[in-house]
């Protein structure tokens, strides 16, 4: 009896529509949930899993778009738990299971007065996905607090621990986006947070402005998170009300020379210095192309934020992709710049290259 249930889990095609926040119609051959490390081990040792390919680990699907059916197994990571590993007057190290909600963790840390992730409030998704794109907002990145990341190999079942340096964090990137680590699943992360001598980061103008009424000794993690939440709610659509996957493209980084040329045409172009050049706002570029709030056949950009692609309902992957290409082509034509995908798009089980270098889909 038990075996029959198990094999049904692997064979039943399941809708993915409610498992990615863009909510395009798509199915997986099978959908399974990992709620404990026993579930993980059972899956990895199952002959059916070993024989099947491909497979994909998913948190809340807030940075993933399924453009069509996924021919394989989708695993929902629902591993829970949070443990204090070390605590001094100065700092705390937390070990957090990968399936915990990131935002809930931020709010808990505020309650416990552990600081370091308060600027990252209201980012949807799981703790286990945070290292993958090194989530960031308002001048803080996951890498700023990451002590280590534990992964399990889906080939051997072996668990390894990667230090912060080994994760090779960069701007919205990490080693977990590299091919070498594609068969590893993050099972937990360790965070190093401050218990005192808090170092609030108000480098982003809207956040600084929202907290102007407070002296620095009056600030708390909770106050900062509440300000971040208010700003985000005023600008970003709630994916449950209007399907979206946050910022669809990365902010491009260009050379100083190229920036100088662009500033001659538009002196108000926002730009921010980076170690490898100047970062532009992709939202500004898309807006300048007249695409803010535009939509075609149920896919568009959000009326208050041009970088957020929204699905008004009833679109499919092909219509969706058409709109993505329209944005990319408009920015290319106007600014001579190729926008890279930040969101991870899957076409028949394959990750679409962020540079969209192929003629995929309309070839
Ligand atoms: P998923 O979308 O399920 O997965 C993302 C990728 O990580 C997939 O490739 C998946 O295979 C892989 N993955 C997931 N879990 C694991 C695991 N345990 N082990 C290995 N690989 C794994 N991002 C930011 O950086 N900053 C923001 O401010 C921000 N704001 C957002 C606002 C909105 C409204 C939305 C919808 C999204 C936003 N995002 C932001 C993007 C997204 O929330 C983050 O990337 C988040 O970390 C994704 O978490 P998830 O659990 O939904 O991951
Ligand atoms: P914004 O304030 O309109 O600014 C536009 C862009 O300019 C941002 O993307 C940001 O880059 C950059 N920027 C602004 N001030 C900066 C500064 N002081 N130093 C360096 N760069 C600066 O941004 P927004 O779109 O409302 O987003 C606010 C924050 O939330 C940003 O950090 C953004 O990344 C994050 N966010 C991310 C997502 C996502 O899905 N990834 C979705 C919504 C919001 P950075 O993006 O590099 O910070």
């Amino acid at each position: 009896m038990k075996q029959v249930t198990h094999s049904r889990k692997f064979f039943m095609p399941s809708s993915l529509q409610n498992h990615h926040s863009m909510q395009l119609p798509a199915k997986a051959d099978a959908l399974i949930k990992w709620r404990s490390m026993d579930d993980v081990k059972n899956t990895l040792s199952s002959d059916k899993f070993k024989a099947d390919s491909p497979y994909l680990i998913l948190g809340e699907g807030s940075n993933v778009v399924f453009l069509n059916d996924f021919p394989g197994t989708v695993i929902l990571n629902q591993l829970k738990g949070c443990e204090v590993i070390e605590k001094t007057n100065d700092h705390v190290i937390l070990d957090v299971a990968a399936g915990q909600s990131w935002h809930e963790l931020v709010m808990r840390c505020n309650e416990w007065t552990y600081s370091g992730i308060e600027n990252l409030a209201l980012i949807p998704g799981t703790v286990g996905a945070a290292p993958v794109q090194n989530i960031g907002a308002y001048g803080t990145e996951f890498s700023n607090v990451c002590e280590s990341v534990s992964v399990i190999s889906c080939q051997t079942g072996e668990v390894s621990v990667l230090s912060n340096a080994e994760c090779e964090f960069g701007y919205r990137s990490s080693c977990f986006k590299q091919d070498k680590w594609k068969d590893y699943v993050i099972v937990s992360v360790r965070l190093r947070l401050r218990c005192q001598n808090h170092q609030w980061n108000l480098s982003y103008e809207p956040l600084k402005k929202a907290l102007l009424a407070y002296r620095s000794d009056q600030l708390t993690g909770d106050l900062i998170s509440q300000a971040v939440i208010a700003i985000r709610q005023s600008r970003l659509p709630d994916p449950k009300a209007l399907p979206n996957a946050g910022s669809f493209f990365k902010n491009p980084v260009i050379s100083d020379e190229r920036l100088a040329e662009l500033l001659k045409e538009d002196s108000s172009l926002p730009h921010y210095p980076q170690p490898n050049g100047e970062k532009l706002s992709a939202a500004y570029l898309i807006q300048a192309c007249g695409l803010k709030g535009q939509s075609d056949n149920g896919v568009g950009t959000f009326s208050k934020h041009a970088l957020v692609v929204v699905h008004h309902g009833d679109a499919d992957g092909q219509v969706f992709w058409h709109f993505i290409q329209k944005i990319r082509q408009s920015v290319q034509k106007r600014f001579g710049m190729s926008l890279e995908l930040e969101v991870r798009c899957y076409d028949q089980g394959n990750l679409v290259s962020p540079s969209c270098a192929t003629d995929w889909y309309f070839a």
Side-chain angles (χ1 to χ4, degrees):
M1 188 65 190
K2 230 179 172 181
Q3 260 184 348
V4 173
T5 317
H6 192 64
S7 60
R8 273 173 66 84
K9 270 191 200 164
F10 276 106
F11 281 113
M12 289 263 286
S14 309
S15 171
L16 292 172
Q17 203 157 5
N18 291 329
H19 296 293
H20 65 139
S21 61
M22 196 63 83
Q23 293 188 25
L24 294 177
K27 288 197 206 80
D29 287 351
L31 192 64
I32 56 175
K33 291 178 184 169
W34 281 352
R35 293 198 169 109
S36 66
M37 283 309 283
D38 282 345
D39 289 347
V40 179
K41 284 175 190 150
N42 287 340
T43 303
L44 297 185
S45 59
S46 131
D47 290 340
K48 180 76 186 91
F49 179 77
K50 282 180 193 156
D52 266 353
S53 64
Y55 64 89
L56 180 74
I57 182 84
L58 210 57
E60 291 175 12
S62 64
N63 206 31
V64 159
V65 170
F66 292 106
L67 294 163
N68 42 38
D69 290 349
F70 187 91
T73 304
V74 168
I75 302 162
L76 300 180
N77 170 17
Q78 298 178 349
L79 298 170
K80 301 287 181 198
C82 178
E83 206 184 323
V84 175
I85 298 298
E86 182 180 306
K87 188 165 186 314
T88 68
N89 286 340
D90 178 63
H91 73 266
V92 62
I93 296 183
L94 296 182
D95 189 89
V96 192
Q100 288 287 148
S101 146
W102 175 265
H103 174 69
E104 277 173 25
L105 175 69
V106 173
M107 299 320 274
R108 267 306 159 83
C109 289
N110 288 338
E111 266 170 52
W112 295 327
T113 65
Y114 302 156
S115 69
I117 53 176
E118 54 285 341
N119 290 27
L120 304 180
L122 215 62
I123 298 183
T126 52
V127 166
V132 178
Q133 81 150 354
N134 184 21
I135 56 168
Y138 300 99
T140 299
E141 291 183 341
F142 174 81
S143 57
N144 301 143
V145 295
C146 174
E147 181 76 4
S148 62
V149 174
S150 293
V151 295
I152 189 162
S153 160
C154 291
Q155 299 299 332
T156 63
E158 219 172 287
V159 174
S160 339
V161 180
L162 279 78
S163 67
N164 184 310
E166 285 168 324
C167 293
E168 296 177 37
F169 291 119
Y171 178 59
R172 306 289 187 266
S173 76
S174 72
C175 71
F176 305 109
K177 286 189 170 178
Q178 296 165 12
D179 239 28
K180 188 169 94 175
W181 291 97
K182 73 175 170 28
D183 283 324
Y184 289 80
V185 166
I186 295 165
V187 287
S188 64
V189 306
R190 286 195 178 182
L191 305 181
R192 177 183 281 262
L193 303 169
R194 286 178 183 271
C195 303
Q196 60 179 19
N197 299 323
H198 307 294
Q199 295 185 351
W200 313 122
N201 182 344
L202 303 186
S203 57
Y204 275 43
E205 219 33 56
L207 188 56
K208 192 159 127 193
K209 230 167 148 186
L211 294 164
L212 268 182
Y214 297 90
R215 287 194 320 266
S216 59
D217 63 325
Q218 291 175 316
L219 290 173
T220 63
D222 191 51
L223 259 176
I224 293 173
S225 288
Q226 293 306 335
V228 167
I229 291 169
I231 300 169
R232 293 180 72 105
Q233 285 177 336
S234 71
R235 300 205 63 204
L236 295 170
D238 174 357
K240 290 198 180 88
L242 181 56
N244 74 86
S247 304
F248 204 84
F249 302 98
K250 286 187 196 167
N251 288 325
V253 177
I254 60 168
S255 67
D256 293 341
E257 294 75 30
R258 182 75 187 108
L259 176 68
E261 283 169 26
L262 289 171
L263 284 172
K264 278 186 211 152
E265 289 161 34
D266 176 0
S267 58
S268 59
L269 185 76
H271 56 97
Y272 305 93
Q274 299 292 293
N276 55 339
E278 288 280 334
K279 181 176 71 182
L280 303 183
S281 158
Y284 184 93
L285 304 180
I286 298 169
Q287 186 170 344
C289 293
L291 288 170
K292 185 177 177 187
Q294 295 291 307
S295 63
D296 289 344
N297 303 312
V299 183
T301 55
F302 188 49
S303 55
K304 296 182 193 166
H305 202 311
L307 190 51
V308 181
V309 174
V310 291
H311 174 204
H312 295 287
D314 297 335
D316 62 15
Q318 185 153 0
V319 164
F320 182 85
W321 194 251
H322 220 293
F323 193 75
I324 297 307
Q325 294 299 22
K326 178 174 166 175
I327 298 176
R328 294 186 73 249
Q329 282 157 12
S330 303
V331 171
Q332 178 73 49
K333 199 168 159 198
R334 168 92 195 257
F335 295 100
M337 231 175 274
S338 187
L339 288 182
E340 286 208 354
L341 304 178
E342 177 169 309
V343 173
R344 291 160 79 76
C345 297
Y346 288 87
D347 166 35
Q348 295 169 29
N350 299 310
L351 184 65
V352 178
S353 141
S355 61
C356 302
T358 60
D359 288 337
W360 177 84
Y361 222 95
F362 294 105

